[in-house]
């Protein structure tokens, strides 16, 4: 929602020179000629010059021009380039993505590109072929930015509405968290305990029981703490929210809280307008309709339009597509929602009229009206800690619960709903909702493969499942390390001798700052500046001055360092696995990625045990008992990411038609990591990548020498095709050259 003008890169703020950069095809164009530029583009594309158009819709909150476009276009085009240049499918230097136009400041921001990748002959041979075999796809990406399409509600109206909405959102969050934190461990324990003697097991039965029992107890306690915190927070906010607007009449309160309140209003004001003001909600949907009409012009009658929406934008886009439009009129054949608040927000509501909304039923109705093969394929991605999507999409609460359970424990899907992808973004509540575009393996790559078209070879099932499993382990480790960092930072400064060392380090830093100040002329001498700087920070430089504020500062600095290190290590391991084209044996990667987790977890174990020993001074026998209990918990926390259930794709169900049954059957059955790495698909793909290994950058070269004896394992002749390319030997309809 737009409260006040924001610094968007519009035409009025641009200089003629800046406009030239954004319109490279016409150096004489001025800022006022942007509309004429748009007309030229429209005229050039009347014949449907694009194969595929992607319309991206942003979520709640103020979105400046091109924000959602860049947020998704950059990772998607980057992954498309990475996939198109894969040597295993026969790619070479001529393949990849070429950007033609990146108009980020026009009336309708657009990015156009051509992606070229090897055709069937190169894919089948696993080696480069001639250019006549290449497949070219022209892609256009445009945004539907509705945040400025309506007049916002005032603060009083928003905060009065927010009280009821807050409680509904909190109960949905608690419902999601009880599933993720309590029911998944419980179902896992029951499943392991009831396995027959002939069924395969990853661990012995009693070991499974111990791990599952500890997980259930720890997670149940964590959920109880979370429940109490969220409910108490809601109880406190319930009488405060309606009073916020009148309190702003008090000058000192307005000066202190204005910016915070405006930020809250920008976050939830859009939602209030969507639910309570049907006329403004219609204005939001109009922006989506106009963007779809523009996308239809770009692709003509033969191209495809893909609608991609996040958060509240998913509610806006879904309602517009299935309630007000005919998808086939706009060539929309696919809808992807991420972090979708479709169930939470529902539809707009006139006073005196119920706001019951059944999005799945409307989706099925639209597909039945379009006929077999002309409907909209709907895929929904939701992070397991995302409080706004809060799980799958279905028309009833029991239906959502069944589809949620099927994501962890596959079974027959009896409830109608879209294809569900439960994903791991950060494993941190209230952060998962805004970082879907950073989830390369589970969100970005599947979408990029769809944009590449049907001629691009599918990844081997075993390879996909191994990558998914490793990605989940990586994200769960990120969350566990974060919790361990909080425990370490909270306790460490209070341990004997630790704060004295911290104060000494702080004295060195303050002294260095004072020395720099003393060097410059016009100030104190160095001999005076250094002691003065140390004295000015005495609340953290006095070894004997540990108090609440100094403890808080020391904990904050320690936590900042631990979080930064955790993020850097996670980024390094993730980039090495996802982008360096250097295949790694899963066993080796698991060993390496477990080292930081072990350091954080057992660091927290040591800090907690030393705190018990120092602050409580229990008898020796109780000190040993506490050590054993803490060690068991630490071991469980360390191994939990390796053995916890990994969510799988839940097939779409849009009726009992043959197409719906075939779509469900096409979802591959989940495999254990140990079984997946032993399949022919995975071993042949790994062998082919080793032979074609050409590491880029020092990190990839070190990795290649360490794990693959590179360059001795470089290709020494023709490489047999991987299994994934076998199906590409026969051209399929719809290719463009």
């Amino acid at each position: 929602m737009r409260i006040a003008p924001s610094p968007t890169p519009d035409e009025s703020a641009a200089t003629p020179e800046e406009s030239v950069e954004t319109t490279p095809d016409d150096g004489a164009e001025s800022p006022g000629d942007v509309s004429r530029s748009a007309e030229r583009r429209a005229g050039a594309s009347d014949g449907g010059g694009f194969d595929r158009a992607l319309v991206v819709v942003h979520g709640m909150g103020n979105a400046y021009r091109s924000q959602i476009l860049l947020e998704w276009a950059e990772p998607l085009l980057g992954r498309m380039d990475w996939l198109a240049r894969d040597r295993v499918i026969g790619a070479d230097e001529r393949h990849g993505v070429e950007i033609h136009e990146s108009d980020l400041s026009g009336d309708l921001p657009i990015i156009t590109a051509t992606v070229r990748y090897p055709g069937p002959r190169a894919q089948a041979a696993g080696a480069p072929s001639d250019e006549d075999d290449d497949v070219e796809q022209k892609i256009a990406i445009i945004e539907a930015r509705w945040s400025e399409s309506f007049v916002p509600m005032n603060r009083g109206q928003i905060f009065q509405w927010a009280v009821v909405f807050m409680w509904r959102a909190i109960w949905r969050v608690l419902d999601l968290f009880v599933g993720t934190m309590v029911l998944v461990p419980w179902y896992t324990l029951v499943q392991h305990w009831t396995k027959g003697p002939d069924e395969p097991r990853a661990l012995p039965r009693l070991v499974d029981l111990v791990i599952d029992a500890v997980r259930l107890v720890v997670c149940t306690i964590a959920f109880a703490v979370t429940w109490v915190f969220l409910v108490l927070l809601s109880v406190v906010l319930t009488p405060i929210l309606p009073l916020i607007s009148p309190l702003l009449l008090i000058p000192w309160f307005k000066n202190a809280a204005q910016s915070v309140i405006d930020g809250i209003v920008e976050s939830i004001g859009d939602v209030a307008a969507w639910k309570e003001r049907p006329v403004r909600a219609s204005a939001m949907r109009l922006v989506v309709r106009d963007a779809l009409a523009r996308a239809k012009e770009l692709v003509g009658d033969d191209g495809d339009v893909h609608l991609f929406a996040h958060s509240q934008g998913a509610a806006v886009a879904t309602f517009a597509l299935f309630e007000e439009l005919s998808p086939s009129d706009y060539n929309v054949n696919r809808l992807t929602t991420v972090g979708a608040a479709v169930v939470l927000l529902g539809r707009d509501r006139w006073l005196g009229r119920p706001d019951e909304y059944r999005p799945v039923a409307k989706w099925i109705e639209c597909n039945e009206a379009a006929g077999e093969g002309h409907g909209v394929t709907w895929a929904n991605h939701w992070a397991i800690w995302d409080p706004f999507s809060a799980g799958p999409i279905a028309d009833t609460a029991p239906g959502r619960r069944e589809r949620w359970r099927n994501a962890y424990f596959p079974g027959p899907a009896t409830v109608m709903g879209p294809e569900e992808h439960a994903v791991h973004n950060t494993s941190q509540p209230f952060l998962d909702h805004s970082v879907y575009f950073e989830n390369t393996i589970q969100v970005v790559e599947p979408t990029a493969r769809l944009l590449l078209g049907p001629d691009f070879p599918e990844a081997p099932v075993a390879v996909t499942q191994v990558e998914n499993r490793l990605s989940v382990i990586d994200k769960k480790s990120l969350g566990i390390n974060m919790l361990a960092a909080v425990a370490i930072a909270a306790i460490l400064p209070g341990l004997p001798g630790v704060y004295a060392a911290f104060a000494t380090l702080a004295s060195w830093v303050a002294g260095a700052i004072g020395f720099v100040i003393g060097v410059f002329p016009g100030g104190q001498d160095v001999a005076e500046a250094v002691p003065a700087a140390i004295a000015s920070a005495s609340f953290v430089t006095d070894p004997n001055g540990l108090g609440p504020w100094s403890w808080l500062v020391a904990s904050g600095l320690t936590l900042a360092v631990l979080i930064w290190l955790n993020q850097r290590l996670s980024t390094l391991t993730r980039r090495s696995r996802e982008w360096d084209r250097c295949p790694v044996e899963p066993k080796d990667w698991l060993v390496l990625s477990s080292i930081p987790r072990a350091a954080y977890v057992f660091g927290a174990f040591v800090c907690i045990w030393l705190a018990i020993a120092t602050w409580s001074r229990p008898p020796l026998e109780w000190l040993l008992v506490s050590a054993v209990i803490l060690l068991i918990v630490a071991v469980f926390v360390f191994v939990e990411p390796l053995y916890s259930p990994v969510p799988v794709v839940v097939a779409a169900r849009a009726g009992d038609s043959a197409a719906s049954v075939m779509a469900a059957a096409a979802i591959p059955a989940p495999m254990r990591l140990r079984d997946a790495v032993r399949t022919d698909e995975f071993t042949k793909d790994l062998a082919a990548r080793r032979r074609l290994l050409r590491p880029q950058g020092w990190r990839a070269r070190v990795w290649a020498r360490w794990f693959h004896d590179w360059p001795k394992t470089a290709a020494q002749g023709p490489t047999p095709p991987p299994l994934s390319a076998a199906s590409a030997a026969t051209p399929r309809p719809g290719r463009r050259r």
Side-chain angles (χ1 to χ4, degrees), residues 474 478 566-577:
D474 182 55
L478 183 66
N566 183 34
Q567 296 287 353
R568 290 298 302 164
L569 291 173
S570 176
T571 301
L572 178 63
T573 57
R574 187 170 65 249
R575 179 174 176 179
S576 297
R577 195 185 74 252

Side-chain angles (χ1 to χ4, degrees), residues 517-532:
I517 293 174
V519 168
F520 287 95
Q524 293 176 309
D525 294 335
V526 172
E528 297 176 354
V530 171

Side-chain angles (χ1 to χ4, degrees), residues 208-520:
D208 269 339
L209 178 62
V210 171
I211 294 176
D212 293 340
V214 173
R215 179 194 292 121
L216 179 60
V217 172
V218 173
C219 291
T220 301
I221 294 173
F223 173 73
V225 173
T226 303
W227 189 95
V228 171
F229 171 77
L230 291 178
V231 171
L232 287 179
L233 179 64
S234 300
V235 170
V236 171
L237 290 178
T238 296
I240 292 177
L241 287 176
L243 299 176
I244 287 180
S245 186
L247 286 175
L248 287 176
L249 298 175
I250 304 174
W252 68 265
F253 182 82
K254 180 177 181 180
N255 295 334
Q258 179 78 54
S259 59
V260 175
I261 292 174
D262 283 347
I264 296 174
V265 169
E266 287 186 2
S267 298
I268 66 174
D270 296 354
V271 181
W274 168 259
K275 289 295 297 180
E276 300 296 315
R277 299 294 187 268
V279 174
R280 306 181 205 199
S282 179
M284 300 179 196
R285 298 193 295 269
L286 179 62
V287 175
V288 176
R289 187 188 71 184
D290 290 345
L292 290 176
R294 174 63 178 145
K296 174 61 165 59
E297 294 176 3
L298 293 171
V299 301
D301 294 330
D302 299 325
D304 301 324
V305 174
H306 184 165
L307 183 57
F308 189 101
H310 172 246
S311 188
Q312 182 183 343
V316 175
T318 303
F319 190 96
L321 187 65
F322 298 135
E323 292 277 355
E324 299 179 333
L325 305 176
S326 176
S328 58
D329 292 344
Y330 297 86
N331 284 26
V332 179
N333 63 0
R334 179 168 292 274
L335 169 66
T336 298
T337 51
V338 293
V342 173
V343 176
L344 175 63
L345 301 185
R347 60 168 297 158
D348 52 356
R349 182 176 66 90
W350 293 99
L351 292 177
R353 182 186 297 183
D355 63 347
E356 183 180 3
Y357 177 46
R358 297 184 177 275
V360 174
K362 296 300 298 185
W363 168 55
I364 295 173
E365 181 182 325
C366 283
N367 283 353
E368 290 175 348
E372 194 76 24
H374 298 284
V376 177
T377 303
W378 185 0
N380 180 49
H381 299 257
W382 53 276
I384 65 166
W385 293 107
D386 184 349
F388 298 102
S389 63
I393 293 176
D395 287 340
T396 62
R400 292 192 294 274
R401 175 62 65 186
E402 178 188 306
R403 294 183 69 78
W404 170 86
R405 182 170 180 172
N406 287 341
Y408 285 95
F409 306 96
T414 61
V415 176
M416 306 299 175
E419 183 177 279
E420 299 287 354
H421 297 251
V423 302
H424 286 69
N425 287 340
T426 63
S427 293
Q428 299 171 44
F430 306 107
L431 294 180
D432 270 7
H433 183 68
S434 58
V435 293
Y436 284 91
F437 60 90
E438 294 182 357
N439 191 333
T440 302
I441 297 299
Q442 296 179 312
V443 180
V444 174
E445 182 166 319
T447 307
R449 286 182 175 274
L450 293 172
L451 293 175
L452 287 170
D455 290 306
F456 194 79
E458 297 179 358
V461 172
V463 174
T464 300
Q465 294 200 8
V466 168
E467 285 294 326
N468 182 67
R469 178 81 196 200
L470 296 182
S471 177
V472 170
I473 293 173
D474 182 55
K475 300 300 175 56
K476 289 179 75 69
S477 296
L478 183 66
I480 286 174
N481 292 353
M482 188 73 68
L483 293 176
V486 172
I488 294 171
I491 296 172
L492 190 61
L495 298 179
V498 173
Y499 183 75
F502 172 81
T504 302
L505 179 61
S507 297
W508 292 348
V509 174
I513 295 174
F515 177 82
V516 173
I517 293 174
V519 168
F520 287 95

Side-chain angles (χ1 to χ4, degrees), residues 199 296 341 578:
E199 295 184 72
K296 174 61 165 59
E578 296 175 357

Side-chain angles (χ1 to χ4, degrees), residues 588-609:
D588 296 332
W589 187 87
L590 289 174
V591 171
L592 284 177
S593 63
S594 295
I595 294 174
R597 187 170 70 254
Y600 275 83
V601 170
F602 289 100
F605 157 75
V606 171
C607 286
I608 295 173
W609 186 76

